[in-house]
Amino acid sequence: MVNRELAVGLIFLTQTTVGILGNFSLLCHYVLLSFTDYRLKSTDFIHKHLTVANFLSLLCRGVPQTMAAFGWKHILSHFGCKLLFFLHGVGRGVSIGSICILSVYQAITISPRNSWWAELKVKAPKYVVPSIFLCWTLQMVVNVIFPLYLTSTLSEKNITNKKDFRYCSLVRHDKTSASLYAALLSFSDVLCLGLMLWASSTMVFILYRHKKRVQHIQRTISSRSSPESRATKTILLLLSTFVYFYTLSSVFQVVLSLSDNPSGVLLNITAIMAMWFPTVSPYLLMSRDSKVPRICFAWARNIKSPRLMRNM
């Protein structure tokens, strides 16, 4: 039993550390961009908020899960427990919304100029910022309900009708209230997943048609992918990874919600599956974006330049 708890704790610790470092590095990359002449694109703005959401989700889920796995289960106050679940819910929701906005925006961007999306293609960059902030606002409104059902393991209230999550407890309410709240959360998730699948299929179709169209061009030209094509492939990779891990996480989350007294194994697997995408997504973005090392080195060189020092 002790060896199993130690192994689970090491898994949580590794996953949380790797994920936080990856998202923090990518966030620093976008901060460095603001000190250069590089102009942030709309996709960079979405990536930045996706990184913040993933960082928030890992911090509020991975850290307490790791501490609970190592035996520190009674560490959160009543307010701290509610705040962590609220912030994790917001981070998870914004992560889903950001991927959805990113996929839809890229599908519109790579569409042909003579398509019926031509007018929307010009206006799309203007809608990115309002869409992201609307996503944050909606997730805050939706997830503010969930802390009302929570109580800390430090709470002195004698509540017998509760579900223990090791570092927090969830008060069981009637089936009708639970079903309504689950439907409220699921609606936005299903809507985003539907838009993602539509956008991904559209992008695949556009890329396939473009490949067929340029087959007659010389191999030296056709073999070099355009920036739009590389960005689309990156988003498709990010999207497929998200759908895969989100589906696994949702299956375990449904099983967990239907269990009155979930086992430790089920709690651990559900938490591990929920943190996989926030952990791997920054590395997918950095591996596909060749600007990351170039911008960092360029910024380091500019720091040493006399002209920049004079301007500072």
Side-chain angles (χ1 to χ4, degrees):
M1 181 66 69
V2 176
N3 292 334
R4 189 181 69 181
E5 291 295 326
L6 178 62
V8 171
L10 290 176
I11 292 174
F12 280 130
L13 179 61
T14 303
Q15 196 176 24
T16 303
T17 304
V18 171
I20 288 179
L21 286 177
N23 285 282
F24 182 75
S25 300
L26 193 59
L27 191 59
C28 288
H29 160 64
Y30 289 115
V31 172
L32 293 179
L33 286 178
S34 62
F35 291 97
T36 66
D37 295 331
Y38 179 78
R39 184 178 180 181
L40 285 176
K41 298 180 294 185
S42 297
T43 52
D44 294 326
F45 181 80
I46 302 174
H47 290 162
K48 181 169 62 176
H49 283 266
L50 173 63
T51 303
V52 173
N54 288 338
F55 185 86
L56 190 64
S57 180
L58 281 170
L59 191 65
C60 297
R61 183 71 178 267
V63 173
Q65 285 284 356
T66 302
M67 298 181 72
F70 282 114
W72 299 320
K73 299 181 181 180
H74 304 284
I75 54 174
L76 291 176
S77 64
H78 189 63
F79 174 76
C81 186
K82 291 176 179 290
L83 181 63
L84 275 187
F85 268 82
F86 169 73
L87 293 177
H88 173 262
V90 172
R92 176 187 173 276
V94 172
S95 179
I96 298 173
S98 299
I99 294 291
C100 178
I101 295 172
L102 182 64
S103 58
V104 172
Y105 173 79
Q106 191 65 23
I108 296 174
T109 301
I110 67 171
S111 61
R113 296 184 181 275
N114 56 355
S115 65
W116 61 277
W117 279 350
E119 184 177 354
L120 185 59
K121 186 175 182 177
V122 177
K123 298 180 180 179
K126 301 178 182 179
Y127 297 143
V128 170
V129 175
S131 298
I132 289 293
F133 284 109
L134 179 62
C135 182
W136 280 98
T137 303
L138 290 177
Q139 291 301 323
M140 288 180 183
V141 172
V142 171
N143 285 279
V144 78
I145 304 173
F146 192 66
L148 300 177
Y149 293 85
L150 290 174
T151 181
S152 169
T153 51
L154 290 177
S155 178
E156 298 179 356
K157 296 180 180 179
N158 186 19
I159 302 175
T160 57
N161 190 29
K162 63 182 181 180
K163 185 186 296 186
D164 187 22
F165 288 92
R166 294 190 171 184
Y167 59 92
C168 282
S169 299
L170 176 64
V171 180
R172 298 194 193 98
H173 287 254
D174 59 281
K175 296 292 184 180
T176 304
S177 300
S179 299
L180 288 175
Y181 182 69
L184 179 63
L185 288 179
S186 300
F187 175 77
S188 60
D189 292 355
V190 171
L191 179 62
C192 287
L193 281 176
L195 289 173
M196 290 180 207
L197 293 175
W198 167 79
S200 60
S201 60
T202 302
M203 285 187 284
V204 169
F205 175 74
I206 293 175
L207 287 177
Y208 176 77
R209 189 171 59 179
H210 176 72
K211 183 179 179 180
K212 287 287 187 181
R213 190 175 299 168
V214 299
Q215 279 183 344
H216 63 280
I217 304 177
Q218 296 178 358
R219 181 176 298 180
T220 56
I221 300 178
S222 60
S223 60
R224 298 176 59 186
S225 57
S226 63
E228 292 81 6
S229 178
R230 291 195 300 269
T232 303
K233 292 176 182 177
T234 301
I235 293 171
L236 287 174
L237 177 63
L238 195 69
L239 184 60
S240 59
T241 305
F242 173 80
V243 172
Y244 175 75
F245 286 121
Y246 178 79
T247 302
L248 290 177
S249 175
S250 298
V251 171
F252 285 105
Q253 191 64 46
V254 169
V255 176
L256 179 63
S257 62
L258 295 177
S259 303
D260 291 334
N261 295 301
S263 64
V265 175
L266 180 59
L267 288 172
N268 291 332
I269 294 177
T270 304
I272 290 172
M273 289 295 104
M275 292 191 298
W276 261 117
F277 177 76
T279 299
V280 302
S281 63
Y283 298 98
L284 293 178
L285 289 173
M286 287 188 288
S287 65
R288 304 287 294 185
D289 190 354
S290 59
K291 296 191 303 294
V292 175
R294 292 206 311 267
I295 292 296
C296 292
F297 290 134
W299 182 79
R301 289 196 302 267
N302 288 336
I303 286 294
K304 299 178 182 179
S305 67
R307 182 175 61 83
L308 183 60
M309 296 298 292
R310 287 195 301 268
N311 292 336
M312 293 175 64

